[in-house]
Amino acid sequence: MSEINLGVTCDMHVHLRDGAMCQLITPTVRQGGISVAYIMPNLQPPITTIERVVDYKKQLQALAPQTTFLMSFYLSKDLTPELIHEAASIGAIDGVKCYPAGVTTNSSSGVDPNDFSAFYPIFNAMEQEGLVLNLHGEKPSTGENGNDIHVLNAEESFLPALKKLHQDFPNLKIILEHCTTAAAIETIEMINKGITDPAKIKVAATITAHHLYLTIDDWAGNPINFCKPVAKLPKDKRALVSAAISGKPYFFFGSDSAPHPLSNKARHINVCAGVYSQSLAIPYLAQVFEEQDSIDKLKGFVSDFGLQFYGVKKEDLKSLDEAIIFKRKQVVPNSISDGEGIIVAPFKAGDKLDWSVKWASK
Amino acid sequence: MSEINLGVTCDMHVHLRDGAMCQLITPTVRQGGISVAYIMPNLQPPITTIERVVDYKKQLQALAPQTTFLMSFYLSKDLTPELIHEAASIGAIDGVKCYPAGVTTNSSSGVDPNDFSAFYPIFNAMEQEGLVLNLHGEKPSTGENGNDIHVLNAEESFLPALKKLHQDFPNLKIILEHCTTAAAIETIEMINKGITDPAKIKVAATITAHHLYLTIDDWAGNPINFCKPVAKLPKDKRALVSAAISGKPYFFFGSDSAPHPLSNKARHINVCAGVYSQSLAIPYLAQVFEEQDSIDKLKGFVSDFGLQFYGVKKEDLKSLDEAIIFKRKQVVPNSISDGEGIIVAPFKAGDKLDWSVKWASK
């Protein structure tokens, strides 16, 4: 059986929550074949202080000593340029996550994406420090009032704001997180046109595992697949798959694995948005890449490109182990549980996957 | 407080199920302000014999003696032209419902809408008998394979088949049920262009109450609002509202009220499609019509146009009572229940409605 070495893998968009959920989920980063994880700050309340981000990282590290955690602040009015400089100087954070107010889980403290100008001093400080700005790139829905922003066009409607930010901060590293539309892929391509040196990429996009599988029909009537941004149309999915297997260094992996207790997914109203894919992250991806005859492109997508963009240094890694994929079928469990009440249903529960992942010690 | 007399009201698309659900739901037709109800045949197995449709009507009548039930067959290979003629001659049915295979609840016995030709002898018999063909107008989803039919374009993709049917059977009475798109409204308008005599209308459309409220954002994450066809975009909703309040006799009410046990809605996978709106059908509508300053158009939509199209005769009515709406606020209950395990969550559970409905004896 042939094995493929993916090197030091990274997932640049990970939700590990806190409390009992955090204890259950944090060890599954490594189980899913991921070595380096960039951690989202949307706890309740959001992470906006050095003390909290340091403490959170310590908790995570205790739960998963071999996983390297990159940490982030939650963009809000609580941040100051001074705080950004201080946090960067001690290596407390690698970036800042921007949530438009109200679009997804714990985003009520988010910002108005129609006007980022209040945060320009923050972005300026980030640009100086080489920190990454992670954008949840959706305009908040307006329903039938205003300009008809809804879950299908929310991402495309955000793209002008992305372009303006890049224009105003040409040296700020920006990621359009979990992109879901052909329009987003085109915008990232356009911004990077002519760039051949990966070190010169300033605007990149992460792509999740689940958006390589899902379209609107898969979440209509299946809350397990409901996430924000929602999976879009077949043509959008094809654009995402093409980008993921393209070998272009400005498209890399960010699972947006977002666990919720099953009881918050199996509801008739107010289903929590999020797909949990952490425990099988690499096998989900390998399946898609192989179907596209592009398994050779997987290493770039899950290792090289993300590590390069974030500037992760070898000396900062908690482990040099390399992820090895090999052909061994497995069935996605219907749920994972801590045995004490926390139950999470993984993406593609009950389905078969062709690939497994293991670690090679270094 | 002013009262408005809506006359003998009708809901031309009603699911009453069977068993315990039927016992709970059937009396709510009248509670919701509806006198005449056209009943869907998608039981398990589907209703395709005179014996079953007569028996089902008898059950319903016993549960709701004052409600007038119009009955239908389920279009399938079990039907023959002889059966259609016989059923019509004894008044057992008023129409035949066509479900494309696999698009909604209990539609696995449905037909392939890409080719209706196998059913042309049935349609011919129906045309002769003046029976109504009720179309669930959606192409089955194909996902990313084939021609990219998905829940958003499934109805628009069906419209050419509707036009061809009308062309091939110009005297067959056809209803495009529960239409959800601006494209469908435009098609119905186009087909009826120049028709001024309501008796000459051959192709009409029903519109539900819930589609006058919902857009995609309302069912994303809220299975209570998930139905087939799914609610579409804000522009589509506006087109539906415009059609409903237009006073055009080829747009009338069909609630598609489709109750499911709450346990089948509050799931993380395989949520049943259907919105239950029967118990407050008229108050839901009155709210929308008043918001549009069109309460004077409600009577046509919920009474005159549907009765005219179906040719309902006064002597066939079980009651001549007239529905009266009046301004009295009420809160939609969170659920209705038979106290023995059947629980159904109504549309807009917990929300306030401005109107109530009562009956004036005749």
Side-chain angles (χ1 to χ4, degrees):
Chain A
M1 177 66 68
S2 71
E3 300 188 339
I4 299 171
N5 187 332
L6 299 177
V8 174
T9 50
C10 59
D11 175 349
M12 294 309 193
H13 189 138
V14 169
H15 294 271
L16 293 179
R17 313 305 194 196
D18 50 13
M21 181 66 89
C22 182
Q23 290 181 33
L24 173 65
I25 295 303
T26 303
T28 70
V29 174
R30 189 166 167 94
Q31 288 163 26
I34 293 297
S35 180
V36 178
Y38 183 85
I39 307 303
M40 291 294 124
N42 61 332
L43 304 186
Q44 282 183 309
I47 295 180
T48 56
T49 66
I50 291 176
E51 190 186 356
R52 282 195 67 213
V53 79
V54 167
D55 182 58
Y56 189 35
K57 184 173 182 174
K58 202 178 292 176
Q59 285 176 44
L60 299 177
Q61 204 69 71
L63 291 166
Q66 292 172 287
T67 300
T68 301
F69 296 103
L70 309 181
M71 306 304 289
S72 62
F73 275 163
Y74 187 114
L75 184 65
S76 82
K77 286 174 180 155
D78 294 342
L79 301 186
T80 62
E82 295 69 35
L83 180 62
I84 294 294
H85 288 301
E86 189 188 346
S89 71
I90 61 168
I93 60 168
D94 289 274
V96 176
K97 175 70 185 277
C98 168
Y99 289 98
V103 299
T104 191
T105 305
N106 299 348
S107 64
S108 56
S109 311
V111 309
D112 176 1
N114 296 306
D115 184 10
F116 281 124
S117 60
F119 297 98
Y120 272 27
I122 303 290
F123 298 156
N124 194 40
M126 291 173 61
E127 192 174 43
Q128 291 168 31
E129 299 289 353
L131 296 175
V132 172
L133 176 63
N134 309 94
L135 295 174
H136 180 121
E138 288 193 296
K139 284 275 178 89
S141 284
T142 58
E144 73 265 38
N145 303 313
N147 43 1
D148 282 0
I149 306 292
H150 46 75
V151 293
L152 279 186
N153 68 5
E155 182 175 277
E156 183 161 2
S157 305
F158 181 87
L159 297 174
L162 166 67
K163 284 185 266 191
K164 178 161 169 46
L165 267 183
H166 174 53
Q167 204 168 37
D168 292 349
F169 295 93
N171 291 311
L172 177 62
K173 289 201 276 189
I174 301 174
I175 298 183
L176 183 67
E177 301 283 321
H178 47 52
C179 60
T180 59
T181 57
I185 296 295
E186 284 160 23
T187 295
I188 299 296
E189 297 265 20
M190 196 189 68
I191 290 172
N192 285 292
K193 206 173 171 181
I195 296 181
T196 50
D197 177 2
K200 293 201 170 144
I201 294 169
K202 294 298 175 188
V203 180
T206 54
I207 300 175
T208 74
H210 55 278
H211 287 121
L212 299 178
Y213 285 90
L214 302 176
T215 63
I216 184 172
D217 282 38
D218 298 304
W219 59 267
N222 284 298
I224 190 174
N225 293 332
F226 171 61
C227 59
K228 298 296 288 297
V230 299
K232 306 293 192 305
L233 305 185
K235 72 177 171 60
D236 295 302
K237 187 185 114 169
R238 287 192 291 266
L240 299 177
V241 171
S242 292
I245 64 169
S246 69
K248 291 173 180 165
Y250 37 84
F251 295 119
F252 51 82
F253 183 49
S255 68
D256 191 17
S257 174
H260 288 285
L262 186 55
S263 56
N264 290 351
K265 294 294 275 183
R267 286 174 168 177
H268 70 294
I269 52 169
N270 299 330
V271 170
C272 286
V275 169
Y276 171 70
S277 58
Q278 204 70 62
S279 57
L280 290 162
I282 292 290
Y284 292 130
L285 292 172
Q287 184 100 2
V288 173
F289 277 64
E290 188 190 32
E291 275 166 17
Q292 300 291 324
D293 288 327
S294 302
I295 201 79
D296 60 308
K297 296 294 201 303
L298 186 55
K299 182 170 183 293
F301 185 70
V302 299
S303 173
D304 307 333
F305 306 154
L307 296 177
Q308 161 84 33
F309 188 82
Y310 275 86
V312 178
K313 298 190 194 79
K314 203 169 170 179
E315 59 263 33
D316 293 334
L317 298 175
K318 293 292 171 186
S319 163
L320 296 177
D321 292 355
E322 293 173 340
I324 312 287
I325 53 168
F326 58 104
K327 274 285 186 77
R328 189 170 68 196
K329 284 190 198 303
Q330 56 180 323
V331 177
V332 182
N334 284 318
S335 64
I336 67 167
S337 170
D338 65 355
E340 294 177 18
I342 302 281
I343 302 171
V344 176
F347 180 51
K348 292 176 76 61
D351 285 4
K352 272 188 197 146
L353 295 175
D354 292 335
W355 292 83
S356 294
V357 64
K358 62 183 180 183
W359 292 97
S361 297
K362 284 279 160 177
Chain B
M1 180 64 69
S2 72
E3 300 188 339
I4 299 170
N5 187 329
L6 300 176
V8 174
T9 49
C10 59
D11 175 348
M12 292 312 192
H13 188 138
V14 170
H15 294 271
L16 294 179
R17 314 302 194 197
D18 50 13
M21 181 65 89
C22 182
Q23 289 181 34
L24 174 64
I25 296 303
T26 303
T28 70
V29 174
R30 189 168 166 92
Q31 289 164 25
I34 293 296
S35 181
V36 178
Y38 182 85
I39 307 303
M40 290 294 124
N42 60 332
L43 304 186
Q44 282 182 307
I47 295 180
T48 56
T49 67
I50 291 175
E51 191 185 356
R52 283 195 66 213
V53 79
V54 167
D55 182 58
Y56 189 37
K57 185 173 182 174
K58 203 177 291 174
Q59 286 177 43
L60 300 177
Q61 205 68 74
L63 291 165
Q66 292 173 288
T67 300
T68 301
F69 295 102
L70 310 181
M71 306 303 290
S72 63
F73 274 163
Y74 188 114
L75 185 65
S76 82
K77 285 173 182 158
D78 294 340
L79 301 186
T80 63
E82 295 70 34
L83 181 63
I84 294 293
H85 288 301
E86 189 188 347
S89 71
I90 61 169
I93 60 169
D94 289 273
V96 176
K97 175 69 184 278
C98 167
Y99 289 98
V103 299
T104 190
T105 306
N106 299 347
S107 65
S108 55
S109 311
V111 309
D112 175 3
N114 296 306
D115 184 9
F116 280 125
S117 60
F119 297 99
Y120 271 29
I122 303 291
F123 297 156
N124 194 40
M126 290 172 62
E127 191 175 45
Q128 290 169 30
E129 298 289 354
L131 296 176
V132 172
L133 175 63
N134 309 95
L135 295 174
H136 180 121
E138 289 193 294
K139 284 276 178 89
S141 284
T142 57
E144 72 265 36
N145 303 313
N147 44 1
D148 281 1
I149 306 293
H150 46 75
V151 294
L152 279 186
N153 68 5
E155 182 175 277
E156 184 160 1
S157 304
F158 181 86
L159 297 173
L162 166 67
K163 285 187 264 191
K164 178 161 167 49
L165 267 183
H166 175 53
Q167 205 169 37
D168 291 349
F169 295 94
N171 291 310
L172 177 62
K173 290 201 277 189
I174 301 175
I175 298 182
L176 183 68
E177 300 282 321
H178 45 52
C179 60
T180 59
T181 58
I185 296 296
E186 283 160 23
T187 295
I188 300 295
E189 297 264 20
M190 196 190 67
I191 290 172
N192 286 291
K193 204 172 172 185
I195 295 180
T196 51
D197 177 1
K200 293 202 170 143
I201 294 168
K202 295 299 175 188
V203 179
T206 54
I207 300 174
T208 73
H210 55 279
H211 288 121
L212 299 178
Y213 285 88
L214 303 176
T215 63
I216 183 171
D217 282 38
D218 297 304
W219 60 265
N222 284 296
I224 191 175
N225 291 334
F226 171 60
C227 60
K228 298 295 289 296
V230 299
K232 306 294 193 305
L233 305 184
K235 72 178 171 58
D236 296 301
K237 185 184 117 168
R238 287 192 290 267
L240 298 178
V241 171
S242 292
I245 64 170
S246 69
K248 292 173 181 166
Y250 37 84
F251 296 118
F252 51 83
F253 182 48
S255 68
D256 191 16
S257 173
H260 289 284
L262 185 55
S263 55
N264 290 350
K265 294 295 274 182
R267 287 173 169 177
H268 70 295
I269 52 168
N270 299 330
V271 170
C272 285
V275 169
Y276 172 70
S277 59
Q278 204 71 62
S279 57
L280 290 162
I282 292 290
Y284 293 130
L285 292 172
Q287 185 100 2
V288 173
F289 277 65
E290 188 190 32
E291 276 167 15
Q292 300 291 324
D293 287 326
S294 302
I295 200 80
D296 59 309
K297 295 294 201 302
L298 185 56
K299 183 170 184 293
F301 185 68
V302 299
S303 173
D304 306 334
F305 305 154
L307 296 176
Q308 161 85 33
F309 188 81
Y310 275 86
V312 178
K313 298 189 194 79
K314 202 170 172 180
E315 58 263 34
D316 292 334
L317 298 175
K318 294 293 173 186
S319 163
L320 296 176
D321 292 356
E322 294 172 342
I324 312 289
I325 54 169
F326 58 104
K327 275 283 186 77
R328 190 171 65 197
K329 285 190 198 302
Q330 56 180 324
V331 176
V332 181
N334 284 318
S335 64
I336 66 165
S337 170
D338 64 356
E340 295 178 15
I342 302 280
I343 302 171
V344 175
F347 179 52
K348 292 177 77 60
D351 284 4
K352 270 189 197 147
L353 296 175
D354 292 335
W355 292 84
S356 295
V357 64
K358 63 184 180 181
W359 292 98
S361 298
K362 283 281 160 175

